[in-house]
Amino acid sequence: MTTDLDQLRTDLLGSIEAATALDAIEAVRVSTLGKQGSVTGLLKTLGGMSPEERQQTGPRIHALREAVSEALGARKASLEAEALNAKLASETLDMTLPVDGVPAGSVHPVSQVMDELAEIFADLGFAVATGPEIEDDWHNFSALNIPETHPARAMHDTFYLAGDHATPMVLRTHTSPVQIRAMKAAGGNKPVRIIAPGRTYRSDSDATHTPMFHQVEGLVIDKGITLGHLKWTLETFLKAFFERDDIVLRLRPSYFPFTEPSAEVDIGFTVINGKRVIGGDPTKGEGGWMEVLGSGMVHSKVIEAGGFDPNEWQGFAFGCGIDRLAMLKYGMDDLRAFFDGDLRWLKHYGFSALDVPTLSGGVGA
Ligand code: PHE
């Protein structure tokens, strides 16, 4: 029995050592420690032994089982480590390879122009103000001297919001309601100098109109403000925006309920190689004028609605289509493409997010 057990131990440990694959290890485990295994069989013989014999042989059989089990575990671990090392050696990863191009987003021309406007007007001392796109009828119309019966309401194809509101709600048809909000916020006793860029809505759609579009409002309220301040501000703004000194403006008498007097502002263009270019002498060759914004001196009723005393405070205001400014500056011709979300269009007309606005020096640089 002694020599048998020693021999068996040598044989088993030898075959475990000789196993070169995990399934070979498993086969040895089943044939030794499995239900029908040789070592399991030896353990079963203990029951039929005399106590002396069991005392003698028992520990040796248990030791054998222990040794086999340990050898199996160790061999299995070393085979697994070998397999992992082989896998690691064959699956190299070159960390120096350049990454596949990460698609970079781009800044939409409307966002770019808004940034440019904020920068130009910041240099002139204007803060950026905002207001809600869902606006109440009072801010959008009445406070701007457009009473309910006023025909000017028909000028705006307004989206009215259904529902049980204390006051009728609309999608703001222009950024002018922010004039009222900015005046109210100033409390009627200190100057206001703001621009208000943002989304506006009218029920209209063709190549130059979309139901949602962007405007920028400008408002100055102070003492002793004249039409001269308006004209200088617009000239300075448009020269900085189009990055040309030879910009000419024409103020055409017009009508807006919230300004008096009111003026539509045309910008001069020239034609170079069949293309319209902003700037130059519009009276020469094929040059001409195109309308870019509406403006005027703030109506006394509007100053009052904003909480200021019109006998002491005056002001000017203007409103300008941002999308149209972008089209004129960057040469797009279909407004609808602005809002299609076509990535090819954005790739072509978009701006790098890493660039600051092109007018890094701003006005007077
Ligand atoms: N709110 C006017 C529009 O949308 C533009 C405007 C603003 C005109 C301020 C005069 C003064 O057409």
Side-chain angles (χ1 to χ4, degrees):
M1 185 73 186
T2 305
T3 41
D4 281 0
L5 276 181
D6 284 344
Q7 186 59 45
L8 185 60
R9 183 189 176 109
T10 311
D11 289 352
L12 289 180
L13 295 185
S15 64
I16 291 170
E17 206 46 53
T20 53
L22 288 170
D23 51 358
I25 292 284
E26 179 61 8
V28 176
R29 190 193 65 79
V30 171
S31 71
T32 54
L33 306 179
K35 263 194 184 142
Q36 317 288 333
S38 50
V39 179
T40 311
L42 283 173
L43 283 165
K44 283 181 188 157
T45 64
L46 288 174
M49 288 179 187
S50 66
E52 297 77 36
E53 209 181 347
R54 190 182 310 133
Q55 208 174 32
Q56 253 244 323
T57 321
R60 300 193 57 228
I61 296 178
H62 280 292
L64 171 65
R65 193 194 59 173
E66 202 58 22
V68 168
S69 167
E70 227 167 75
L72 282 169
R75 186 69 188 133
K76 192 173 173 216
S78 94
L79 283 176
E80 278 170 350
E82 260 174 50
L84 181 61
N85 284 335
K87 203 172 168 202
L88 286 176
S90 67
E91 289 176 6
T92 53
L93 185 63
D94 185 351
M95 301 298 280
T96 65
L97 278 177
V99 287
D100 284 348
V102 178
S106 60
V107 175
H108 194 284
V110 170
S111 303
Q112 167 77 15
V113 167
M114 283 190 182
D115 287 349
E116 292 177 15
L117 293 171
E119 188 164 323
I120 292 169
F121 280 102
D123 281 355
L124 296 174
F126 286 64
V128 172
T130 56
E133 290 170 29
I134 295 175
E135 187 56 281
D136 60 70
D137 182 274
W138 187 78
H139 283 94
N140 196 81
F141 293 122
S142 308
L144 291 164
N145 192 31
I146 317 177
E148 217 155 303
T149 52
H150 200 287
R153 286 210 181 193
M155 276 163 56
H156 297 193
D157 304 293
T158 311
F159 287 113
Y160 283 90
L161 273 87
D164 186 18
H165 305 286
T167 157
M169 301 299 282
V170 301
L171 291 182
R172 68 178 179 189
T173 57
H174 50 180
T175 42
S176 299
V178 186
Q179 287 188 29
I180 304 295
R181 292 184 177 276
M183 278 190 267
K184 287 264 187 205
N189 56 12
K190 56 178 180 290
V192 177
R193 232 190 274 184
I194 56 109
I195 58 164
R199 295 192 189 101
T200 48
Y201 302 83
R202 290 181 204 177
S203 180
D204 207 352
S205 183
D206 59 39
T208 52
H209 296 90
T210 47
M212 187 282 296
F213 56 106
H214 299 83
Q215 283 191 339
V216 60
E217 195 79 8
L219 174 71
V220 169
I221 299 286
D222 208 332
K223 293 181 177 172
I225 296 295
T226 71
L227 205 59
H229 295 119
L230 168 64
K231 186 162 185 269
W232 181 87
T233 303
L234 292 178
E235 251 167 31
T236 307
F237 147 49
L238 290 165
K239 280 179 182 171
F241 180 73
F242 286 106
E243 299 176 58
R244 288 183 68 141
D245 274 333
D246 61 349
I247 298 281
V248 230
L249 297 186
R250 184 172 76 174
L251 270 67
R252 233 173 343 99
S254 184
Y255 173 74
F256 297 103
F258 30 92
T259 45
E260 181 58 37
S262 302
E264 245 149 346
V265 178
D266 298 336
I267 194 165
F269 67 85
T270 45
V271 175
I272 297 171
N273 296 330
K275 276 194 135 185
R276 285 185 176 191
V277 177
I278 300 293
D281 186 349
T283 63
K284 293 236 170 78
E286 295 172 84
W289 300 97
M290 64 178 106
E291 187 194 318
V292 282
L293 54 89
S295 67
M297 303 306 291
V298 182
H299 196 292
S300 58
K301 284 191 180 164
V302 175
I303 293 186
E304 228 175 295
F308 280 79
D309 178 355
N311 295 313
E312 267 189 70
W313 301 85
Q314 301 78 43
F316 67 77
F318 60 87
C320 182
I322 292 180
D323 315 297
R324 187 159 154 74
L325 283 182
M327 289 167 86
L328 288 175
K329 181 166 177 179
Y330 296 113
M332 289 77 91
D333 52 19
D334 189 344
L335 179 61
R336 288 168 296 195
F338 274 56
F339 311 119
D340 279 350
D342 185 331
L343 287 177
R344 292 164 304 176
W345 187 91
L346 277 172
K347 208 172 167 156
H348 185 82
Y349 288 111
F351 293 81
S352 163
L354 299 176
D355 287 346
V356 288
T358 55
L359 312 135
S360 44
V363 177

mmCIF file of all heavy atoms in Angstrom, residues 144 155-156 173-177 179 200 202 213 215-218 255-256 258-259 262-264 291 293-298 316-320, ligand 1:
data_model
loop_
_atom_site.group_PDB
_atom_site.id
_atom_site.type_symbol
_atom_site.label_atom_id
_atom_site.label_comp_id
_atom_site.label_asym_id
_atom_site.label_seq_id
_atom_site.Cartn_x
_atom_site.Cartn_y
_atom_site.Cartn_z
ATOM 1 N N LEU A 144 -45.528 98.815 -26.895
ATOM 2 C CA LEU A 144 -44.771 99.397 -28.012
ATOM 3 C C LEU A 144 -45.681 100.272 -28.885
ATOM 4 O O LEU A 144 -45.417 100.467 -30.074
ATOM 5 C CB LEU A 144 -44.123 98.284 -28.841
ATOM 6 C CG LEU A 144 -42.994 97.535 -28.120
ATOM 7 C CD1 LEU A 144 -42.663 96.222 -28.829
ATOM 8 C CD2 LEU A 144 -41.741 98.407 -28.029
ATOM 9 N N MET A 155 -49.351 93.824 -39.657
ATOM 10 C CA MET A 155 -48.055 93.796 -40.337
ATOM 11 C C MET A 155 -47.263 92.562 -39.916
ATOM 12 O O MET A 155 -46.432 92.059 -40.652
ATOM 13 C CB MET A 155 -47.227 95.043 -39.965
ATOM 14 C CG MET A 155 -47.547 96.285 -40.789
ATOM 15 S SD MET A 155 -46.932 97.812 -40.013
ATOM 16 C CE MET A 155 -45.198 97.494 -39.807
ATOM 17 N N HIS A 156 -47.514 92.112 -38.705
ATOM 18 C CA HIS A 156 -46.807 90.936 -38.201
ATOM 19 C C HIS A 156 -47.741 89.729 -38.287
ATOM 20 O O HIS A 156 -48.831 89.770 -37.738
ATOM 21 C CB HIS A 156 -46.416 91.126 -36.729
ATOM 22 C CG HIS A 156 -45.460 92.254 -36.501
ATOM 23 N ND1 HIS A 156 -44.803 92.422 -35.325
ATOM 24 C CD2 HIS A 156 -45.051 93.255 -37.309
ATOM 25 C CE1 HIS A 156 -44.024 93.485 -35.409
ATOM 26 N NE2 HIS A 156 -44.160 94.003 -36.604
ATOM 27 N N THR A 173 -42.843 88.538 -32.105
ATOM 28 C CA THR A 173 -42.714 88.769 -33.545
ATOM 29 C C THR A 173 -41.488 89.609 -33.864
ATOM 30 O O THR A 173 -41.130 89.784 -35.025
ATOM 31 C CB THR A 173 -43.958 89.492 -34.077
ATOM 32 O OG1 THR A 173 -44.127 90.719 -33.335
ATOM 33 C CG2 THR A 173 -45.211 88.638 -33.913
ATOM 34 N N HIS A 174 -40.876 90.164 -32.840
ATOM 35 C CA HIS A 174 -39.643 90.941 -33.002
ATOM 36 C C HIS A 174 -38.940 90.988 -31.637
ATOM 37 O O HIS A 174 -39.482 90.521 -30.633
ATOM 38 C CB HIS A 174 -39.941 92.362 -33.540
ATOM 39 C CG HIS A 174 -41.016 93.113 -32.798
ATOM 40 N ND1 HIS A 174 -41.404 94.379 -33.128
ATOM 41 C CD2 HIS A 174 -41.805 92.764 -31.736
ATOM 42 C CE1 HIS A 174 -42.365 94.800 -32.313
ATOM 43 N NE2 HIS A 174 -42.624 93.842 -31.471
ATOM 44 N N THR A 175 -37.729 91.545 -31.611
ATOM 45 C CA THR A 175 -37.015 91.633 -30.333
ATOM 46 C C THR A 175 -37.359 92.925 -29.592
ATOM 47 O O THR A 175 -36.870 93.150 -28.480
ATOM 48 C CB THR A 175 -35.480 91.539 -30.546
ATOM 49 O OG1 THR A 175 -35.120 92.328 -31.684
ATOM 50 C CG2 THR A 175 -35.044 90.106 -30.770
ATOM 51 N N SER A 176 -38.226 93.750 -30.186
ATOM 52 C CA SER A 176 -38.557 95.032 -29.550
ATOM 53 C C SER A 176 -39.154 94.924 -28.136
ATOM 54 O O SER A 176 -38.931 95.834 -27.329
ATOM 55 C CB SER A 176 -39.484 95.843 -30.470
ATOM 56 O OG SER A 176 -38.837 96.104 -31.694
ATOM 57 N N PRO A 177 -39.904 93.844 -27.783
ATOM 58 C CA PRO A 177 -40.366 93.766 -26.394
ATOM 59 C C PRO A 177 -39.231 93.826 -25.368
ATOM 60 O O PRO A 177 -39.457 94.233 -24.225
ATOM 61 C CB PRO A 177 -41.121 92.428 -26.325
ATOM 62 C CG PRO A 177 -40.853 91.716 -27.590
ATOM 63 C CD PRO A 177 -40.491 92.758 -28.603
ATOM 64 N N GLN A 179 -36.946 95.926 -25.410
ATOM 65 C CA GLN A 179 -36.792 97.365 -25.092
ATOM 66 C C GLN A 179 -37.519 97.673 -23.781
ATOM 67 O O GLN A 179 -36.969 98.299 -22.873
ATOM 68 C CB GLN A 179 -37.438 98.242 -26.180
ATOM 69 C CG GLN A 179 -36.686 98.309 -27.496
ATOM 70 C CD GLN A 179 -37.318 99.357 -28.421
ATOM 71 O OE1 GLN A 179 -37.900 100.340 -27.971
ATOM 72 N NE2 GLN A 179 -37.203 99.135 -29.727
ATOM 73 N N THR A 200 -36.985 85.149 -33.186
ATOM 74 C CA THR A 200 -38.277 85.806 -33.368
ATOM 75 C C THR A 200 -39.099 84.953 -34.331
ATOM 76 O O THR A 200 -38.535 84.128 -35.050
ATOM 77 C CB THR A 200 -38.079 87.219 -33.938
ATOM 78 O OG1 THR A 200 -37.184 87.135 -35.050
ATOM 79 C CG2 THR A 200 -37.475 88.168 -32.902
ATOM 80 N N ARG A 202 -42.556 84.623 -37.088
ATOM 81 C CA ARG A 202 -43.709 85.106 -37.862
ATOM 82 C C ARG A 202 -44.134 84.003 -38.820
ATOM 83 O O ARG A 202 -43.301 83.246 -39.318
ATOM 84 C CB ARG A 202 -43.358 86.367 -38.663
ATOM 85 C CG ARG A 202 -43.143 87.577 -37.770
ATOM 86 C CD ARG A 202 -42.820 88.827 -38.561
ATOM 87 N NE ARG A 202 -42.097 89.766 -37.716
ATOM 88 C CZ ARG A 202 -41.622 90.937 -38.109
ATOM 89 N NH1 ARG A 202 -41.806 91.339 -39.356
ATOM 90 N NH2 ARG A 202 -40.970 91.721 -37.276
ATOM 91 N N PHE A 213 -36.764 83.232 -37.108
ATOM 92 C CA PHE A 213 -35.584 83.927 -37.614
ATOM 93 C C PHE A 213 -34.936 84.672 -36.459
ATOM 94 O O PHE A 213 -35.373 84.516 -35.313
ATOM 95 C CB PHE A 213 -35.965 84.863 -38.780
ATOM 96 C CG PHE A 213 -37.031 85.887 -38.449
ATOM 97 C CD1 PHE A 213 -36.688 87.226 -38.279
ATOM 98 C CD2 PHE A 213 -38.358 85.522 -38.301
ATOM 99 C CE1 PHE A 213 -37.658 88.176 -37.971
ATOM 100 C CE2 PHE A 213 -39.332 86.464 -37.983
ATOM 101 C CZ PHE A 213 -38.988 87.795 -37.818
ATOM 102 N N GLN A 215 -33.256 88.299 -34.786
ATOM 103 C CA GLN A 215 -33.102 89.746 -34.851
ATOM 104 C C GLN A 215 -32.135 90.190 -33.766
ATOM 105 O O GLN A 215 -31.919 89.489 -32.780
ATOM 106 C CB GLN A 215 -34.440 90.451 -34.569
ATOM 107 C CG GLN A 215 -35.412 90.448 -35.723
ATOM 108 C CD GLN A 215 -36.592 91.394 -35.480
ATOM 109 O OE1 GLN A 215 -36.897 91.753 -34.339
ATOM 110 N NE2 GLN A 215 -37.253 91.784 -36.542
ATOM 111 N N VAL A 216 -31.599 91.375 -33.950
ATOM 112 C CA VAL A 216 -30.907 92.019 -32.844
ATOM 113 C C VAL A 216 -31.559 93.385 -32.666
ATOM 114 O O VAL A 216 -31.779 94.116 -33.631
ATOM 115 C CB VAL A 216 -29.385 92.133 -33.053
ATOM 116 C CG1 VAL A 216 -29.023 92.947 -34.288
ATOM 117 C CG2 VAL A 216 -28.721 92.733 -31.808
ATOM 118 N N GLU A 217 -31.923 93.662 -31.423
ATOM 119 C CA GLU A 217 -32.502 94.949 -31.081
ATOM 120 C C GLU A 217 -31.399 95.809 -30.491
ATOM 121 O O GLU A 217 -30.496 95.297 -29.819
ATOM 122 C CB GLU A 217 -33.594 94.728 -30.009
ATOM 123 C CG GLU A 217 -34.515 95.889 -29.807
ATOM 124 C CD GLU A 217 -35.575 95.952 -30.901
ATOM 125 O OE1 GLU A 217 -35.657 95.002 -31.715
ATOM 126 O OE2 GLU A 217 -36.324 96.946 -30.941
ATOM 127 N N GLY A 218 -31.466 97.088 -30.728
ATOM 128 C CA GLY A 218 -30.548 98.003 -30.055
ATOM 129 C C GLY A 218 -31.371 99.072 -29.370
ATOM 130 O O GLY A 218 -32.393 99.511 -29.910
ATOM 131 N N TYR A 255 -42.176 104.252 -41.129
ATOM 132 C CA TYR A 255 -43.114 104.259 -40.016
ATOM 133 C C TYR A 255 -42.988 103.009 -39.156
ATOM 134 O O TYR A 255 -43.029 101.875 -39.662
ATOM 135 C CB TYR A 255 -44.562 104.350 -40.530
ATOM 136 C CG TYR A 255 -45.546 104.188 -39.392
ATOM 137 C CD1 TYR A 255 -45.750 105.230 -38.475
ATOM 138 C CD2 TYR A 255 -46.218 102.986 -39.187
ATOM 139 C CE1 TYR A 255 -46.603 105.069 -37.394
ATOM 140 C CE2 TYR A 255 -47.080 102.819 -38.117
ATOM 141 C CZ TYR A 255 -47.269 103.858 -37.224
ATOM 142 O OH TYR A 255 -48.099 103.705 -36.153
ATOM 143 N N PHE A 256 -42.773 103.172 -37.882
ATOM 144 C CA PHE A 256 -42.936 102.109 -36.883
ATOM 145 C C PHE A 256 -43.721 102.736 -35.740
ATOM 146 O O PHE A 256 -43.457 103.901 -35.388
ATOM 147 C CB PHE A 256 -41.581 101.610 -36.358
ATOM 148 C CG PHE A 256 -40.711 100.983 -37.411
ATOM 149 C CD1 PHE A 256 -39.641 101.680 -37.956
ATOM 150 C CD2 PHE A 256 -40.965 99.691 -37.864
ATOM 151 C CE1 PHE A 256 -38.844 101.113 -38.939
ATOM 152 C CE2 PHE A 256 -40.168 99.113 -38.842
ATOM 153 C CZ PHE A 256 -39.106 99.833 -39.392
ATOM 154 N N PHE A 258 -43.516 102.364 -32.685
ATOM 155 C CA PHE A 258 -42.756 102.570 -31.443
ATOM 156 C C PHE A 258 -41.618 103.566 -31.586
ATOM 157 O O PHE A 258 -40.870 103.790 -30.643
ATOM 158 C CB PHE A 258 -42.233 101.232 -30.907
ATOM 159 C CG PHE A 258 -41.943 100.210 -31.981
ATOM 160 C CD1 PHE A 258 -40.685 100.105 -32.542
ATOM 161 C CD2 PHE A 258 -42.959 99.378 -32.443
ATOM 162 C CE1 PHE A 258 -40.433 99.174 -33.546
ATOM 163 C CE2 PHE A 258 -42.716 98.443 -33.452
ATOM 164 C CZ PHE A 258 -41.460 98.342 -34.005
ATOM 165 N N THR A 259 -41.440 104.140 -32.779
ATOM 166 C CA THR A 259 -40.406 105.180 -32.947
ATOM 167 C C THR A 259 -41.015 106.374 -33.675
ATOM 168 O O THR A 259 -41.929 106.240 -34.478
ATOM 169 C CB THR A 259 -39.197 104.653 -33.756
ATOM 170 O OG1 THR A 259 -39.675 103.939 -34.893
ATOM 171 C CG2 THR A 259 -38.319 103.757 -32.910
ATOM 172 N N SER A 262 -39.250 107.707 -37.568
ATOM 173 C CA SER A 262 -38.726 106.376 -37.876
ATOM 174 C C SER A 262 -37.942 106.430 -39.182
ATOM 175 O O SER A 262 -38.250 107.249 -40.053
ATOM 176 C CB SER A 262 -39.867 105.374 -38.046
ATOM 177 O OG SER A 262 -40.660 105.307 -36.886
ATOM 178 N N ALA A 263 -36.968 105.571 -39.282
ATOM 179 C CA ALA A 263 -36.187 105.522 -40.520
ATOM 180 C C ALA A 263 -35.817 104.091 -40.861
ATOM 181 O O ALA A 263 -35.442 103.314 -39.975
ATOM 182 C CB ALA A 263 -34.914 106.351 -40.368
ATOM 183 N N GLU A 264 -35.961 103.772 -42.131
ATOM 184 C CA GLU A 264 -35.421 102.505 -42.595
ATOM 185 C C GLU A 264 -34.006 102.800 -43.076
ATOM 186 O O GLU A 264 -33.750 103.850 -43.656
ATOM 187 C CB GLU A 264 -36.273 101.928 -43.719
ATOM 188 C CG GLU A 264 -36.918 100.644 -43.285
ATOM 189 C CD GLU A 264 -38.276 100.372 -43.924
ATOM 190 O OE1 GLU A 264 -38.872 101.295 -44.510
ATOM 191 O OE2 GLU A 264 -38.710 99.239 -43.821
ATOM 192 N N GLU A 291 -31.999 97.411 -48.092
ATOM 193 C CA GLU A 291 -32.457 97.711 -46.749
ATOM 194 C C GLU A 291 -31.829 96.744 -45.754
ATOM 195 O O GLU A 291 -31.801 95.539 -45.995
ATOM 196 C CB GLU A 291 -33.981 97.558 -46.744
ATOM 197 C CG GLU A 291 -34.637 98.003 -45.477
ATOM 198 C CD GLU A 291 -36.075 97.507 -45.411
ATOM 199 O OE1 GLU A 291 -36.774 97.564 -46.452
ATOM 200 O OE2 GLU A 291 -36.478 97.047 -44.341
ATOM 201 N N LEU A 293 -32.008 97.557 -41.953
ATOM 202 C CA LEU A 293 -32.640 97.592 -40.624
ATOM 203 C C LEU A 293 -33.677 98.688 -40.483
ATOM 204 O O LEU A 293 -33.769 99.581 -41.327
ATOM 205 C CB LEU A 293 -31.568 97.701 -39.528
ATOM 206 C CG LEU A 293 -30.527 98.817 -39.578
ATOM 207 C CD1 LEU A 293 -31.039 100.046 -38.849
ATOM 208 C CD2 LEU A 293 -29.248 98.329 -38.906
ATOM 209 N N GLY A 294 -34.457 98.584 -39.403
ATOM 210 C CA GLY A 294 -35.447 99.600 -39.060
ATOM 211 C C GLY A 294 -34.970 100.322 -37.811
ATOM 212 O O GLY A 294 -34.312 99.733 -36.951
ATOM 213 N N SER A 295 -35.283 101.610 -37.706
ATOM 214 C CA SER A 295 -34.761 102.362 -36.570
ATOM 215 C C SER A 295 -35.603 103.607 -36.313
ATOM 216 O O SER A 295 -36.547 103.899 -37.047
ATOM 217 C CB SER A 295 -33.319 102.785 -36.859
ATOM 218 O OG SER A 295 -33.306 103.727 -37.923
ATOM 219 N N GLY A 296 -35.249 104.341 -35.292
ATOM 220 C CA GLY A 296 -35.918 105.608 -35.025
ATOM 221 C C GLY A 296 -35.672 106.073 -33.603
ATOM 222 O O GLY A 296 -34.977 105.415 -32.824
ATOM 223 N N MET A 297 -36.245 107.240 -33.292
ATOM 224 C CA MET A 297 -36.170 107.766 -31.930
ATOM 225 C C MET A 297 -37.326 107.152 -31.147
ATOM 226 O O MET A 297 -38.474 107.142 -31.629
ATOM 227 C CB MET A 297 -36.288 109.294 -31.936
ATOM 228 C CG MET A 297 -35.227 109.984 -32.789
ATOM 229 S SD MET A 297 -33.530 109.508 -32.368
ATOM 230 C CE MET A 297 -33.368 110.260 -30.754
ATOM 231 N N VAL A 298 -37.043 106.653 -29.968
ATOM 232 C CA VAL A 298 -38.056 105.923 -29.204
ATOM 233 C C VAL A 298 -39.266 106.830 -28.929
ATOM 234 O O VAL A 298 -39.120 107.959 -28.466
ATOM 235 C CB VAL A 298 -37.469 105.383 -27.881
ATOM 236 C CG1 VAL A 298 -38.514 104.574 -27.119
ATOM 237 C CG2 VAL A 298 -36.239 104.520 -28.160
ATOM 238 N N PHE A 316 -32.858 106.207 -28.771
ATOM 239 C CA PHE A 316 -33.061 105.660 -30.117
ATOM 240 C C PHE A 316 -33.092 104.142 -30.042
ATOM 241 O O PHE A 316 -32.622 103.554 -29.042
ATOM 242 C CB PHE A 316 -31.994 106.156 -31.101
ATOM 243 C CG PHE A 316 -30.592 105.661 -30.848
ATOM 244 C CD1 PHE A 316 -30.207 104.363 -31.185
ATOM 245 C CD2 PHE A 316 -29.637 106.519 -30.297
ATOM 246 C CE1 PHE A 316 -28.903 103.930 -30.970
ATOM 247 C CE2 PHE A 316 -28.324 106.080 -30.079
ATOM 248 C CZ PHE A 316 -27.959 104.789 -30.405
ATOM 249 N N ALA A 317 -33.678 103.534 -31.057
ATOM 250 C CA ALA A 317 -33.752 102.077 -31.105
ATOM 251 C C ALA A 317 -33.581 101.631 -32.548
ATOM 252 O O ALA A 317 -33.846 102.394 -33.478
ATOM 253 C CB ALA A 317 -35.090 101.585 -30.560
ATOM 254 N N PHE A 318 -33.114 100.410 -32.689
ATOM 255 C CA PHE A 318 -33.070 99.835 -34.040
ATOM 256 C C PHE A 318 -33.273 98.330 -33.952
ATOM 257 O O PHE A 318 -33.087 97.725 -32.890
ATOM 258 C CB PHE A 318 -31.738 100.167 -34.742
ATOM 259 C CG PHE A 318 -30.530 99.653 -34.028
ATOM 260 C CD1 PHE A 318 -30.053 98.374 -34.257
ATOM 261 C CD2 PHE A 318 -29.865 100.464 -33.100
ATOM 262 C CE1 PHE A 318 -28.936 97.915 -33.587
ATOM 263 C CE2 PHE A 318 -28.743 99.995 -32.430
ATOM 264 C CZ PHE A 318 -28.280 98.724 -32.666
ATOM 265 N N GLY A 319 -33.716 97.764 -35.063
ATOM 266 C CA GLY A 319 -33.923 96.318 -35.109
ATOM 267 C C GLY A 319 -33.425 95.810 -36.448
ATOM 268 O O GLY A 319 -33.663 96.435 -37.482
ATOM 269 N N CYS A 320 -32.714 94.670 -36.395
ATOM 270 C CA CYS A 320 -31.987 94.238 -37.578
ATOM 271 C C CYS A 320 -32.045 92.713 -37.678
ATOM 272 O O CYS A 320 -31.940 92.019 -36.673
ATOM 273 C CB CYS A 320 -30.546 94.712 -37.388
ATOM 274 S SG CYS A 320 -29.456 94.355 -38.722
HETATM 275 N N1 PHE B 1 -39.198 95.775 -34.561
HETATM 276 C C1 PHE B 1 -39.054 96.268 -35.910
HETATM 277 C C2 PHE B 1 -39.292 95.094 -36.863
HETATM 278 O O1 PHE B 1 -39.287 93.981 -36.448
HETATM 279 C C3 PHE B 1 -37.693 96.839 -36.159
HETATM 280 C C4 PHE B 1 -37.425 98.087 -35.361
HETATM 281 C C5 PHE B 1 -36.845 98.007 -34.117
HETATM 282 C C6 PHE B 1 -37.738 99.319 -35.874
HETATM 283 C C7 PHE B 1 -36.594 99.158 -33.375
HETATM 284 C C8 PHE B 1 -37.496 100.474 -35.160
HETATM 285 C C9 PHE B 1 -36.913 100.377 -33.938
HETATM 286 O O2 PHE B 1 -39.500 95.279 -38.039
#
